[in-house]
Amino acid sequence: MPASCCGLVGLKPSHGRIPCGPLVGEAGFGHIYEFALTRTIRDTAHLLDAVAAPPVGEKYTAPAQSGRYADTMRADPGRLRVAPDDRAVGREFGRDAGIGGHDRRRQDPRMDRPHCDRDAPAIDAEDVVEASTLTAIATGAAILRSGLRRIFEFGPFTAPFNVSGNPVISLPLALSREGLPIGVQLVAATGREDLLLQVAAQLEQAAPWKERQPSIFVD
């Protein structure tokens, strides 16, 4: 989310790709990974090479990567299936992705609800968090619920991959009418940061953003 607001590249590595410890331990119950925002895919790849290491004593271990990310980022990922949504940003991303020779298909991502919902009342993430905070006073619970609602409204497509552990990258491929950045999120299978960087490098070449500057409004 910070990357999409700032017009920068933001990578969330796979669970277990970079160590969280020894001082932090399991941040956010394993759902939070720290990295850095960069201006280019090259810088992201070099940083990942610098900090990625087999975590010792942690719960999660990502599949081993052969070679350096900075070397593999320019490799051809082959023909991939790309499923952008039908909004303006999705269409722009689809056109850029098509430059790399990928197969574009319209597809709406869906998530299956647990089977138990058929016989039990439906609950959401806010209900789970609120139920686990039994000692919170009424005012504190209302603040928590309000904060979670704001997070889900602002970035609804980030949380699922914090839970699943998939690597995700945000690219500043579009601008709003006011000249503000709009990030496009790409997701790959666990351990495939190399694939994300390869596709991102193709998009960066097709629609470079490094020298892009925001509009300045004077009232």
Side-chain angles (χ1 to χ4, degrees):
M1 286 185 284
S4 64
C5 292
C6 301
L8 299 173
V9 178
L11 172 70
K12 184 195 79 68
S14 302
H15 281 186
R17 177 62 68 202
I18 58 177
C20 291
L23 299 179
V24 175
E26 189 183 42
F29 303 100
H31 297 163
I32 297 175
Y33 265 71
E34 293 185 349
F35 199 60
L37 306 182
T38 68
R39 293 183 62 84
T40 66
I41 303 301
R42 180 201 63 182
D43 289 349
T44 297
H46 278 293
L47 179 61
L48 189 58
D49 282 327
V51 300
V56 178
E58 296 192 19
K59 292 183 179 180
Y60 312 101
T61 302
Q65 164 67 12
S66 60
R68 301 174 65 250
Y69 291 104
D71 297 330
T72 62
M73 59 170 281
R74 296 298 180 185
D76 186 356
R79 188 178 180 87
L80 304 173
R81 289 179 298 172
V82 180
D85 65 21
D86 197 36
R87 287 168 291 186
V89 175
R91 290 195 297 271
E92 181 175 340
F93 164 71
R95 287 194 298 268
D96 293 337
I99 295 176
H102 302 303
D103 181 17
R104 287 185 294 156
R105 299 181 185 180
R106 170 123 187 261
Q107 183 174 343
D108 296 324
R110 300 182 184 277
M111 294 188 179
D112 295 331
R113 298 185 65 85
H115 294 292
C116 63
D117 280 356
R118 298 173 181 174
D119 302 320
I123 61 174
D124 56 24
E126 297 174 2
D127 296 323
V128 174
V129 173
E130 186 173 349
S132 65
T133 316
L134 298 178
T135 58
I137 60 174
T139 302
I143 294 174
L144 175 62
R145 193 177 186 89
S146 175
L148 287 172
R149 183 179 294 109
R150 290 182 61 189
I151 291 175
F152 292 143
E153 289 176 351
F154 184 75
F157 303 113
T158 59
F161 305 107
N162 289 344
V163 176
S164 69
N166 293 73
V168 181
I169 194 168
S170 177
L171 305 177
L173 293 182
L175 292 174
S176 69
R177 295 177 181 177
E178 295 78 16
L180 298 177
I182 300 175
V184 174
Q185 177 176 274
L186 281 69
V187 185
T190 299
R192 292 307 309 271
E193 287 89 345
D194 60 323
L195 180 60
L196 280 184
L197 294 173
Q198 289 165 5
V199 175
Q202 287 184 337
L203 292 168
E204 183 181 32
Q205 185 175 8
W209 56 74
K210 180 181 177 181
E211 304 301 331
R212 186 184 296 163
Q213 299 292 330
S215 301
I216 299 177
F217 296 94
V218 179
D219 189 0

